[in-house]
Amino acid sequence: MPGNTSPRQNRSVAAGAAVVLVGALTFGVVSMTGDRGDRDTARPAGASAGPSTKPPTSPSASPSASRSDETAQLPDMARREAADPRAKGRPDAPVVMIEYADFQCPFCGKFARDTEPELAGYIQDGTLRIEWRDFPIFGKESEAAARAGYAAGRQGRFWEFHDAAFAKDRKRNSGAFTEPKLVEMARRAGVPDLARFRADMNGREAAKAVQRDTDEGYDLGVPSTPAFIINKRPFLGAQPLGTFKAAIEKAR
């Protein structure tokens, strides 16, 4: 992909089907149709090679391959921390959606702009909680944006920063997520203390928080972004709204 500094990369052509991930600890694509990717795959520079970092191989491009593996489950990764600024919804909500995402991923942006707002009713009625996980796979600007999101969250403005960062698609590693641009996004997001924001963004705690999320994703075998876990059930890619609604209704 243009602008990707990762040594290994692969863009899927999955779209339009209910793509699920299979295996207790390994994500694998079990369906794909069409010719438009709905996810991005890469490995960050410096990430250790291993089974969990290998791009998935789709078994078939035919519509007949599209299916939903109702038995596929992962460990319960929900943190349910009441004070988590990168989560929204009640900590005791019966359904938790965990999202592994990169601020430079266009399909993460598509989910943020088009799909997530349509799930707001589930959050408001107490059914759904969404927990964000940083999974910066496209190089230094992805990592900087992830740390910036953490810094915004320290002042209670993560989701506002999230919306500003995903407001439009930006060319990857083109300077759109350099520190001055990230500070401007924070300003638009209403972060009150920009000096503190800069300090937090470049601080050790931000780096540790992002690394924690990234390690969690790779331990699970997340191959690409966006990736989701809904009550232990994994989904890969910016799926249609109906796919997420059906999964939430089933999980509730």
Side-chain angles (χ1 to χ4, degrees), residues 7 19 35 52-53 130 152 157 201 219 231:
V19 179
D35 59 1
S52 67
T53 64
I130 297 178
R157 306 297 288 180
M201 178 174 63
D219 285 346
N231 280 22

Side-chain angles (χ1 to χ4, degrees), residues 50 54 75 145 157 198 210 217 238-239 248:
K54 291 179 181 179
R157 306 297 288 180
R198 289 189 188 92
V210 172
Q239 296 302 308
I248 292 166

Side-chain angles (χ1 to χ4, degrees), residues 3 21 34 47 94 102 105 113 116 125 135 144 166 172 186 206 224 233-234 251:
L21 316 179
D102 183 318
C105 164
R113 291 187 298 272
E116 187 179 306
D125 70 11
F135 200 63
F166 281 137
R172 192 173 294 156
S224 60
R233 189 177 171 208

Side-chain angles (χ1 to χ4, degrees), residues 170-215:
R170 297 173 172 87
K171 185 177 180 181
R172 192 173 294 156
N173 292 320
S174 64
F177 290 98
T178 57
E179 185 167 326
K181 296 293 181 63
L182 291 167
V183 171
E184 174 58 23
M185 289 179 197
R187 186 193 66 77
R188 292 202 306 270
V191 174
D193 188 338
L194 294 179
R196 178 187 169 192
F197 170 83
R198 289 189 188 92
D200 286 342
M201 178 174 63
N202 293 305
R204 183 176 301 177
E205 291 304 313
K208 284 172 60 178
V210 172
Q211 191 63 55
R212 176 193 181 190
D213 288 356
T214 304
D215 288 346

Side-chain angles (χ1 to χ4, degrees), residues 85-106:
R86 299 182 304 159
K88 55 185 173 181
R90 288 170 40 177
D92 62 348
V95 184
V96 178
M97 172 190 285
I98 301 169
E99 177 187 3
Y100 297 87
D102 183 318
F103 283 115
Q104 289 200 101
C105 164

Side-chain angles (χ1 to χ4, degrees), residues 6-23:
S6 171
R8 293 177 63 181
Q9 55 185 326
N10 175 55
R11 183 170 185 164
S12 82
V13 292
V19 179
V20 298
L21 316 179
V22 294

